[in-house]
Amino acid sequence: MLNLAGMPVYVARPDGPGPHPGVVVLHQLFGVDGSVRRGADRLAAAGFLAVAPDLYHRTEPGAELPQDDEGRRRGFALMHRMDRDEVVADVGRCLDWLRGPGGAGPRTGLLGVSLGGHAAFLAAARLDVDATAVLFPGWLTGTEIPLSRPEPTLSLAADIRGRLLFLVGERDHVVPPAEVARIAAAIPRHEVVVYPDTPHAFFLDGTTPAAEDAWRRVIEFL
């Protein structure tokens, strides 16, 4: 683990000499857990220098929550203590490290999953990033959580200068079809992929055809 001014960051390095493209992996509700670390490792195996920051480091550093009802309860409590500007600053520090001491190449990107997808969308609108892949990000269209205030994060879509790939399942209960339609309308120059008959959270450790296709798209895109 890397420590960036008090923020724990999981680092996955590819084999072989660099420089390699850099990716910041932004975690879901449960923190930097095994599924996030395995995702970063998968990116490293594909040739990326991947870092996964602990976005909960200000309130519960090292939080690694179980993927059950109690973990969701604790995760929602932590999510509601996150601050929009602080999260953008955390992502910016990771990008600075990748481009500087980390030794990544000139190409940098973001991969965000669920809550991390929301954070990645936000950071892509605020920071200089080449490519951002967001998977089933909740709460983009409203102001229910601190990351989506004062204005809905979706309203910042026009500020995204890099490329964006948006992936979601057709049966996602967090990002239902009507919300996907609103998001797609707000990002007309970017790619939106909806996987038929696919629920929320299908990606990181998924073994379905949708998960494998999503991984292929993400790796090719970033």
Side-chain angles (χ1 to χ4, degrees):
M1 293 289 285
L2 173 70
N3 188 300
L4 284 182
M7 178 173 65
V9 179
Y10 179 77
V11 180
R13 291 185 177 275
D15 294 330
H20 303 279
V23 181
V24 183
V25 182
L26 300 175
H27 64 75
Q28 75 282 56
L29 199 65
F30 307 104
V32 183
D33 62 2
S35 64
V36 173
R37 293 191 294 271
R38 287 187 291 273
D41 291 343
R42 186 165 181 170
L43 287 168
F48 296 90
L49 173 56
V51 297
D54 176 7
L55 300 178
Y56 294 150
H57 69 97
R58 293 180 179 84
T59 51
E60 191 175 331
E64 187 172 336
L65 310 179
Q67 296 195 23
D68 57 18
D69 289 344
E70 175 60 14
R72 290 182 186 87
R73 184 192 67 77
R74 290 174 60 195
F76 275 110
L78 290 170
M79 178 180 68
H80 278 278
R81 297 174 67 184
M82 296 170 74
D83 175 84
R84 174 180 269 188
D85 291 337
E86 290 175 346
V87 167
V88 172
D90 289 344
V91 177
R93 274 193 286 165
C94 289
L95 291 169
D96 289 343
W97 182 86
L98 285 169
R99 294 163 177 159
R107 196 168 90 238
T108 53
L110 309 177
L111 169 62
V113 181
S114 195
L115 168 63
H118 189 126
F121 193 103
L122 171 63
R126 293 278 192 87
L127 302 172
D128 182 17
V129 185
D130 296 299
T132 301
V134 295
L135 288 102
F136 38 87
W139 309 287
L140 287 179
T141 62
T143 56
E144 300 94 329
I145 64 173
L147 285 185
S148 64
R149 299 174 192 149
E151 69 278 283
T153 300
L154 185 62
S155 69
L156 306 176
D159 295 330
I160 297 175
R161 296 181 295 278
R163 296 175 296 116
L164 184 77
L165 173 65
F166 185 98
L167 306 176
V168 69
E170 182 184 43
R171 293 196 293 109
D172 195 309
H173 68 286
V174 178
V175 195
E179 188 158 333
V180 173
R182 288 183 62 188
I183 294 166
I187 52 172
R189 70 182 182 90
H190 300 291
E191 184 177 4
V192 176
V193 178
V194 180
Y195 290 99
D197 197 33
T198 299
H200 190 73
F202 68 90
F203 177 63
L204 283 173
D205 279 334
T207 58
T208 64
E212 289 304 315
D213 182 79
W215 267 111
R216 177 188 62 80
R217 288 177 184 269
V218 165
I219 288 170
E220 290 177 355
F221 177 77
L222 293 174

